[in-house]
Amino acid sequence: MTPSLLLAVLASGFIYGITPGPGVLAVFGIGAARGRRAGAGFLCGHLLGDVVWCSTALIAIVGAREVGSSAFDVLGVLSGAYLFWLGWRAIRTRRRSSDAPEGAARHPFWHGILFGLTNPKAYPVAVATFTALLSSRAELLTWSMLPWLIVLSFIGGLLAYGILIGVVGAHRVRTLYQRHEILITRLCGLMFIGFAINALAHALPGLFGSKAA
């Protein structure tokens, strides 16, 4: 495994864990209601879902690579289109008032497990994020690397969650987030669109090249 591939997998797990989405928004809501400890409990439970969905995404990506580069390129185009759609929705988001559910605040760990395993966006976002960052190194991916890919993505997710635990529940961070929630969401939308462009830039030439050949 090359250093660039190692860093790409770590970065994929980190970005997947820290990029604002349903899980991150939920942990900030729980942190606002119960503080850092409850937020950490939610993230510890949510980590199980992250491992399941990231592992499934990596299996799909490596499988597409083993079947052929065209399959990986198709996956890249679909993932890029999905990321672009998510980014566009985030840019157009509007403020809405919603508090964390009472059950989430009382049992944050178990709520985190349930939330992580049932989040319908988890798998496609994982596939899109990993594809965007790994597409340029598709030729290096093999089944023998899969356990290490999962471990590295897990470490990247842990680093992301460590940062989130450090900031969730802090009064200044909570106030800043609530005050600029729309701006933060829209900036994350721009980030998603950037990943989408990266994924499409690597996938489309491969598809058109294979058709021309």
Side-chain angles (χ1 to χ4, degrees):
M1 186 176 294
T2 65
S4 63
L5 178 59
L6 184 151
L7 291 175
V9 179
L10 277 173
S12 298
F14 179 84
I15 292 171
Y16 175 78
I18 205 167
T19 302
V24 173
L25 295 177
V27 75
F28 271 96
I30 293 172
R34 294 285 300 276
R36 182 177 289 113
R37 184 174 181 178
F42 173 84
L43 287 177
C44 288
H46 195 276
L47 190 60
L48 175 61
D50 287 348
V51 172
V52 170
W53 295 121
C54 287
S55 299
T56 306
L58 285 168
I59 290 171
I61 290 171
V62 175
R65 171 67 186 95
E66 290 292 318
V67 169
S69 59
S70 295
F72 192 90
D73 290 333
V74 170
L75 185 61
V77 171
L78 294 176
S79 300
Y82 182 74
L83 271 178
F84 189 91
W85 178 72
L86 285 179
W88 182 249
R89 283 191 59 188
I91 289 175
R92 299 182 61 190
T93 192
R94 295 184 178 182
R95 183 174 298 278
R96 57 182 181 181
S97 57
S98 60
D99 297 325
E102 186 177 354
R106 289 183 177 179
H107 308 287
F109 176 76
W110 295 109
H111 180 70
I113 291 178
L114 182 63
F115 193 101
L117 290 175
T118 59
N119 183 0
K121 292 184 179 180
Y123 174 70
V125 169
V127 171
T129 303
F130 280 84
T131 300
L133 294 182
L134 297 180
S135 57
S136 61
R137 304 165 183 84
E139 71 280 357
L140 302 176
L141 301 176
T142 63
W143 286 115
S144 61
M145 289 182 179
L146 185 60
W148 289 108
L149 296 176
I150 294 173
V151 170
L152 287 171
S153 67
F154 175 76
I155 293 173
L158 279 181
L159 293 174
Y161 279 6
I163 294 175
L164 288 176
I165 291 172
V167 301
V168 70
H171 177 70
R172 291 184 179 180
V173 173
R174 185 169 67 247
T175 302
L176 180 67
Y177 182 82
Q178 292 173 345
R179 182 178 301 170
H180 302 289
E181 179 181 358
I182 299 300
L183 175 61
I184 293 172
T185 302
R186 289 174 177 169
L187 289 176
C188 291
L190 289 175
M191 184 188 303
F192 273 127
I193 290 177
F195 285 130
I197 293 173
N198 180 69
L200 293 172
H202 285 98
L204 289 175
L207 282 179
F208 287 121
S210 62
K211 289 182 178 180

